[in-house]
Amino acid sequence: MLKHALTLAVLALSSAAAGQTVRGTDVTVTSGGKAYKSYLAAPASAAPKPAVILLHSFRGLEPGYRDLVNELAAAGFVTLALGWQTFEREPSDAAVKALVEDGLKFLGARRDVNMNAVGLTGFCAGGRYTMLLLPQIKQFKAGVAWYGFPDQGGTAAKPQPPSAFIGQLTAPLLIIHGTRDQASPIASIYAYAQKLDAANKTFKLSVYQGEPHGFLLTEGQIADTFASRDAQQDMLNYFRAYLR
């Protein structure tokens, strides 16, 4: 509880320092006739600004992700976290793709969003979706995939792995991973990066020695560690560079 309170205090200070006032609220995004429970935060300014869609991990839209949405908003990005598990723990790739596309429409209806500067980020399963959807949805101008699964596919719900879409990738991609990730071994990430490089794709690979899977959060909250803080700054810098 104390750590959470301190996190919120830091967010308030960073918001004030950036001259931004964060407005966070629960929202619903309709896709396939269903209302997905999501979370949105935006700076108070009505001027068009860059935006980010966030896809949480397989463990759901935990409080730490809401805090991260607030942090991104404090930094000047309208940020929408899509609750892709609202109806199914493991929906099909087609359902998640449709939801992300409808999330873009949701942002497009807002006057404070520059739709020419929208990024995508995700964690764990959301990291896989980032790798999978960034090449397919051309409206995204950059992506950040946290400890994703580049080779996961081959089932009815997940017919193709993200690595199958490397040839279609046109937006720059930041990959964040830990060397001690047991769920998604670092060897698969190195192999994915080699394929990206061979295809002359624009990407950056940030590897954190000794970090496990899901190192951004601890017990649902943003972790107070060097790797977590540094990776958040890495993501922010990447989006600042490409979402203009």
Side-chain angles (χ1 to χ4, degrees), residues 6-176:
L6 289 173
T7 299
L8 293 178
V10 170
L11 289 173
L13 288 173
S14 64
S15 175
Q20 304 282 3
T21 300
V22 171
R23 299 198 305 261
T25 185
D26 291 318
V27 297
T28 57
V29 176
T30 301
S31 184
K34 299 178 179 179
Y36 287 79
K37 298 177 182 179
S38 304
Y39 182 75
L40 176 83
S45 168
K49 55 188 69 66
V52 172
I53 286 180
L54 184 149
L55 301 174
H56 60 74
S57 77
F58 199 67
R59 298 183 65 175
L61 187 52
E62 297 177 284
Y65 293 120
R66 291 174 178 258
D67 289 343
L68 186 59
V69 167
N70 292 339
E71 286 189 9
L72 285 166
F77 299 88
V78 177
T79 307
L80 173 65
L82 292 171
W84 56 269
Q85 288 182 317
T86 299
F87 299 99
E88 298 176 81
R89 181 168 173 76
E90 195 166 2
S92 69
D93 285 350
V96 176
K97 182 174 184 286
L99 174 60
V100 172
E101 291 172 332
D102 287 322
L104 283 167
K105 293 176 184 176
F106 181 94
L107 290 174
R110 295 177 60 92
R111 294 183 179 181
D112 61 346
V113 173
N114 175 6
M115 291 304 293
N116 293 316
V118 182
L120 177 66
T121 189
F123 308 78
C124 179
R128 176 185 176 273
Y129 291 136
T130 300
M131 294 171 169
L132 182 74
L133 299 178
L134 192 66
Q136 299 184 62
I137 304 177
K138 300 301 183 181
Q139 196 157 5
F140 289 117
K141 302 306 179 186
V144 180
W146 296 67
Y147 28 85
F149 298 81
D151 301 316
Q152 191 179 83
T155 67
K158 301 175 181 179
Q160 292 182 285
S163 56
F165 294 91
I166 287 175
Q168 299 178 32
L169 182 65
T170 55
L173 173 64
L174 168 61
I175 304 161
I176 296 174

